Amino acid sequence: MASYSISVNGKAHTVTADADTPLLWVLRDHLNYVGTKYGCGIGQCGACTVHIDGNATRSCSINVAELGEKSVVTIEGLAPNGDHPVQKAWKEVDVPQCGYCQAGQIMTAASFLEKNPSPSTSEIRQAMHGNICRCGAYNGIEKAVKLAAKSQ
Amino acid sequence: MKKQEQNGFSRRGFLKTASLVSGGMLIGFNFFTSCDSDTPLEAVDLNSLNFNEFNAYIQISNEGKVKIFSPNPEIGQGVKTSMPMLIAEELDVPWEDVLVVQGKWDTDHFQNQYAGGSEGIKKAWEPLRQTGATAKQMLINAAAARWSVDASECHVENGIIIHTSGKKIGYGEVAVEAANLEIPEGLSLKEPKDFKIIGQEIGNVDIDAIITGKPLFGLDYKEEGMVYAHVLRPPAFGQTLVDYEDSETRKTTGVLDVISFGDKIAIIAENNWAAMKGKKALSTNWDSTNATESTDFHNAKLYAQLNGPLTEANGYTTMRSDGDVIQAFVDADKVVKRIYSTPFKPHNCMEPMNFFADVTEEKVRLVGPIQTPTWTANRVAELLDRDIQEIDLRMTRMGGGFGRRLYGDFALEAAEISNRIGKPVQVVFSREDDMTAGTYRPAVKYQIEASIKNNKLTGYQLREAGITDNMYSLIPNFFPQGSFENYKVDVANYQSNITVGAWRAPVTNFHAVAEQSFFDELAKELDVDPVKLRKELITNAKSSPSEERLYEPDRLIGVIDLVVEKSNFGNPAPGRFQGFASYFCHNTHVAEVAEIEMENGFPMVKKVYCAIDCGIVVNPLGAQNQVRGGIIDGIGAAMYGELKFVDGKPQSRNFHNYRMIRMMETPEIEIHFVDSNVAPTGLGEPALPPVGAAVNNAIYAATGKRLTSIPFIQHFV
Ligand code: FES
Ligand code: FES
């Protein structure tokens, strides 16, 4: 066990954990940021997506020791009032069904639009292809990403 | 031990009311209770309620705001939004003034607290509207009494009671008085044309919490002193635990304890990662004598049943028999016969199974995602030999259910472990646990035969051979029952040690694929239009004498005509190929047309048209989501998913080797609801079953290949 200083949503935290602890579990179990979800633990579903230095990253696939100085943003910190254009679009389209995958979907979409503010439909579909939604909310996700791109 | 099952409906115990300590009015949902109708509920300060203290009432605050406790578990089917809409409609309050809270599991006050079978809205339609109407009448009566006028001279607009003289008063101001009045009976409900909330597009009530990552789901639940348990279960079905060595596990940082129960070993730890690591470090010996079942073995068993005689000795039960199918087949010019197969499928809810339990001497507290709170609470009471009154179960939002959360095995594990270690504990399944621990959609084969004489259909016979479970008794009375003079359905199963259960649209999810693919084939064989053939058969059923037919022919023809028109069926764009299917299940009539394109030799579903008759659409926004989700799920199930076994061991463990449908495989979906004034039926399941057949029929149009086994993708590699 070692002590790590990590920055989450602009706040500095000290975490005592084994070096191999995935960021996902540090966020959920140590720091209580439960908005980031566990879906597969092997980088296959995208439920755990957070931003690390602005890049959408699967928090299950990076461990606390690898994180170093990089700063982490979770769904809780995406926008102070939950009013990021992507969140607003999600609400307007009423995307979620069960809602479990949606934090990961939103974090993926937000980082994608940062890099590609006016994407084509097929770029959106490719960008979101890595995030599984068992409820099949994909049509709504596609529509909301388009809407967010327009409103940004 | 005292058991508690859900009470039957009784008018007498319609409502209980009480004043609130903080002012305002409480209206209990205990319209189902048959006892104690005149005992008022205790006054409670609802403002002090928090996540740990759910309760079962409508609350009207002094300011006129309304808090509605939604009774049923929310698995993503939208009842937490649509059920309160029913109350708010008759209560006549603006939706903006309504705050919705998840109701507690409470058999004294609620009925039908489960999620499954697409029945929530159907069963809630009358009673929840009655609840709203009753509360409204009591509030009017209170205002009338205060003004000394006749209640019939008052009406309500947006939560404001208005007298013919123009006097007005808000609900909040008379709530306390209203709570002490007698409960009116025999109230009439609104006509559909007067609906203000029902039929409106109302967004998910949990939307803000979902998009900002607030704790909502079972896995998000935490409390002081809680520990985590990950359980090692036998890796293969049929294996039993011989012994295990846990010294490495116990050395793992964060691991607190290792215990075994039955053939399972639980690793108790301070956090999930420690439990996962500790689990990997266990060494175990399993007895594999009975772990023998592989997919090849299952196939052989099911084929043997299909090829064998239709006798009890061969495991068959006759579900329905009309006329004389055998004679029809003997007399036929031709008998068309096909066998359709589905493999096992895991549910793969995005939120893996989990449950919290805290077993103490005073009570047993359970918190988590569950579709069947009553059933589960009773099983826990049995397991721990406790009175049901000592069980306190709270439902969290569920990260999907799809049938998996009907089975409370995970809650029983949590109760067992907490009881042994004397601590509050959350049992968490890893994805691998979730996919390999069982309760699958069982592998099934259907053999369907139809006889043709003088280019007319004369007989229809369906045999099902399935692993462990069989179709429920309703299905033989769906289409095409009544369409054929000679009609027979028989089922058999092989009892396996692999556990099986309901999977979204149980049985029908593949029965529809088989049956509606087969009718396409028959249309080809008879050289008639596939839609015309279905309509003729449905029309036959209208004049057949059977009262047992469960679908309504006119409604089924209605959706068929609608989807044909909207999709311009028969005239696809160049490069597109269309397939049609229609089906009735879960009380809802559906017809769908799938359009595919071939891309690099693979079929890609590009568009699905769906016409659906579910009666009144309570919340079009939620309804669209349910139908879309069902269609996408149905395509995923038909195209991609497959769970195989070798010597009892599931061969898929996580999403790297179990293929789920993803964004780029998702078609555009166009939904048309039939305009209707009929009481609503469910939507969580009915759109799913036919789509696999529509896709299959489109694949035939594109390739000339008649696929008889899912996942379809295996035929294109
Ligand atoms: S939990 Fe990280 S990708 Fe699935
Ligand atoms: S909304 Fe349920 S998994 Fe995506």
Side-chain angles (χ1 to χ4, degrees), chain A residues 18 20 22 28-29 32 37-40 44 87 91 94 97-98 100 125 129-130 134-136 138-139, chain B residues 204 208 211 219-220 222 253 272-273 277 347 350 397 430-431 625 629 633 654 661-662 664 666-667:
Chain A
D18 275 351
D20 62 357
R28 288 189 56 86
D29 290 357
N32 214 12
K37 298 299 191 231
Y38 166 67
C40 68
Q44 289 284 326
Q87 286 168 315
K91 183 169 177 168
D94 199 41
Q97 290 184 36
C98 83
Y100 191 80
R125 286 166 68 89
H129 191 69
R134 171 67 177 85
C135 298
Y138 296 121
N139 293 135
Chain B
N204 187 324
D208 290 323
I211 62 177
L219 281 179
D220 302 342
K222 292 187 182 193
T253 346
N272 283 289
W273 184 242
K277 276 174 80 176
H347 296 79
M350 281 311 285
R397 192 176 177 89
S430 66
R431 175 57 58 194
N625 270 344
D633 210 1
N654 202 325
I661 189 167
R662 291 172 183 263
M664 278 155 69
T666 298

Side-chain angles (χ1 to χ4, degrees), chain B residues 268-392:
Chain B
I268 320 297
E270 284 167 8
N271 55 60
N272 283 289
W273 184 242
M276 286 172 164
K277 276 174 80 176
K279 187 166 154 183
K280 276 210 186 95
L282 272 179
S283 27
T284 43
N285 282 309
W286 305 97
D287 178 342
S288 298
T289 323
N290 297 320
T292 52
E293 296 192 9
S294 301
T295 296
D296 291 345
F297 168 87
H298 289 145
N299 281 334
K301 283 279 175 202
L302 299 185
Y303 278 124
Q305 266 171 333
L306 290 182
N307 294 331
L310 275 179
T311 57
E312 255 175 68
N314 193 29
Y316 277 98
T317 310
T318 299
M319 307 285 281
R320 187 174 181 103
S321 179
D322 298 335
D324 188 346
V325 165
I326 297 174
Q327 194 57 47
F329 283 15
V330 170
D331 295 342
D333 299 332
K334 180 166 187 179
V335 175
V336 183
K337 169 174 153 183
R338 215 35 105 172
I339 294 175
Y340 293 86
S341 309
T342 177
F344 283 89
K345 282 175 187 290
H347 296 79
N348 290 337
C349 302
M350 281 311 285
E351 180 190 16
M353 296 307 111
N354 65 86
F355 228 77
F356 167 90
D358 182 20
V359 181
T360 61
E361 264 178 35
E362 303 85 71
K363 56 179 173 178
V364 177
R365 289 191 307 117
L366 302 166
V367 183
I370 184 76
Q371 290 177 249
T372 49
T374 306
W375 185 89
T376 298
N378 277 307
R379 296 300 85 73
V380 169
E382 267 167 29
L383 175 78
L384 302 178
D385 196 18
R386 303 286 292 251
D387 191 294
I388 187 70
Q389 302 298 339
E390 295 171 277
I391 314 282
D392 172 24

Side-chain angles (χ1 to χ4, degrees), chain B residues 103-116:
Chain B
K104 173 186 166 168
W105 168 69
D106 181 348
T107 51
D108 286 345
H109 298 97
F110 296 134
Q111 195 194 38
N112 298 323
Q113 273 189 299
Y114 65 87

Side-chain angles (χ1 to χ4, degrees), chain B residues 21 24 50 79 93 104 117 138 162 172 176 184 218 220 232 280 310 466 472 475 532 594 647 654 705:
Chain B
V21 171
N50 54 35
V79 289
V93 285
K104 173 186 166 168
M138 291 169 80
I162 304 167
V176 176
D220 302 342
L232 183 63
K280 276 210 186 95
L310 275 179
Y472 46 92
I475 291 184
K532 193 165 158 251
D647 296 333
N654 202 325
K705 275 200 226 180

Side-chain angles (χ1 to χ4, degrees), chain B residues 228 246 249-250 254-259 266-269 420-421 423:
Chain B
Y228 294 88
D246 63 11
T249 302
R250 287 180 183 278
V255 169
L256 302 168
D257 202 357
V258 181
I259 62 166
I267 297 88
I268 320 297
R420 287 183 183 230
I421 64 172
K423 285 188 186 139

Side-chain angles (χ1 to χ4, degrees), chain A residues 95-102 105 132-137, chain B residues 350 399-400 402:
Chain A
V95 174
Q97 290 184 36
C98 83
Y100 191 80
C101 72
Q102 299 296 343
Q105 306 276 5
I132 297 174
C133 175
R134 171 67 177 85
C135 298
Chain B
M350 281 311 285
F402 311 108

Side-chain angles (χ1 to χ4, degrees), chain A residues 38-41 43-46 48 58 60:
Chain A
Y38 166 67
C40 68
Q44 289 284 326
C45 75
C48 66
R58 287 162 181 209
C60 69

